[in-house]
Amino acid sequence: MQIQVNSDKHIEGGIRLEAWVRATLEERLERFDDQLTRIEVHLNDENGQKSGPQDKRCQLEARPKGHQPVSVTHKAESIDLAVEGAAEKLSHALEHLFGKLQAKRLTGHLEEVSAEPQEEGESQDAMLQDEFLEREQALRV
């Protein structure tokens, strides 16, 4: 997984900041290492030279293999807090994405099931209950 760090002219830190950002992201997102090609980091000070609450922003864009990019943003009082908050958000977003993909592989698509014709005398509720129980059993295996 490649990590590219970009910052505006108001963010100081250089090589040390870049190394810290990479280490933080590698630690937080280690379990997704095989599933990501690249993470782009954008650090900004939204107020420039002026200080203010929540004026540091970290945007992370992850590139999962074979899927659309996932982007999150977090604003905080400091760059450290902004990076840590964005890393947490990205971790949750990737868990959600890969969890949904795994569930689809295990259970199939809902559209395929609902497109099947119903037999006479069988209610829609009974079909949904049977489908739910089958999927629940497949997840346990």
Side-chain angles (χ1 to χ4, degrees):
M1 165 178 60
Q2 235 181 357
I3 299 175
Q4 296 176 324
V5 180
N6 306 297
S7 61
D8 67 12
K9 63 183 178 182
H10 300 291
I11 303 294
E12 295 179 25
I15 295 171
R16 283 184 55 191
L17 176 63
E18 189 173 323
W20 177 81
V21 169
R22 286 176 193 227
T24 299
L25 293 177
E26 287 171 352
E27 179 185 325
R28 289 279 180 102
L29 304 173
E30 180 180 8
R31 67 181 174 271
F32 304 113
D33 192 40
D34 293 340
Q35 299 162 311
L36 300 175
T37 59
R38 182 174 78 221
I39 296 177
E40 290 190 31
V41 181
H42 299 279
L43 304 173
N44 299 88
D45 185 340
E46 295 190 333
N47 291 340
Q49 298 294 340
K50 301 180 217 172
S51 64
Q54 311 275 321
D55 71 331
K56 307 297 189 274
R57 180 173 69 96
C58 177
Q59 178 182 6
L60 300 176
E61 184 178 291
R63 306 284 176 114
K65 293 176 182 174
H67 299 284
Q68 294 293 316
V70 176
S71 180
V72 298
T73 301
H74 189 76
K75 294 180 181 181
E77 298 170 2
S78 69
I79 286 295
D80 296 355
L81 293 174
V83 170
E84 290 174 3
E88 186 70 22
K89 285 182 180 181
L90 184 57
S91 177
H92 289 297
L94 292 172
E95 282 178 17
H96 181 75
L97 171 69
F98 293 128
K100 281 177 65 175
L101 293 173
Q102 184 178 10
K104 280 186 178 181
R105 281 193 297 267
L106 292 174
T107 61
H109 297 284
L110 289 174
E111 295 80 28
E112 293 172 357
V113 174
S114 64
E116 293 177 6
Q118 294 182 14
E119 294 180 21
E120 285 186 22
E122 186 173 4
S123 72
Q124 181 71 18
D125 289 339
M127 286 181 62
L128 290 174
Q129 184 177 11
D130 291 341
E131 177 185 332
F132 172 78
L133 293 173
E134 288 173 8
R135 288 184 179 182
E136 189 175 69
Q137 185 177 9
L139 288 173
R140 289 184 191 153
V141 174

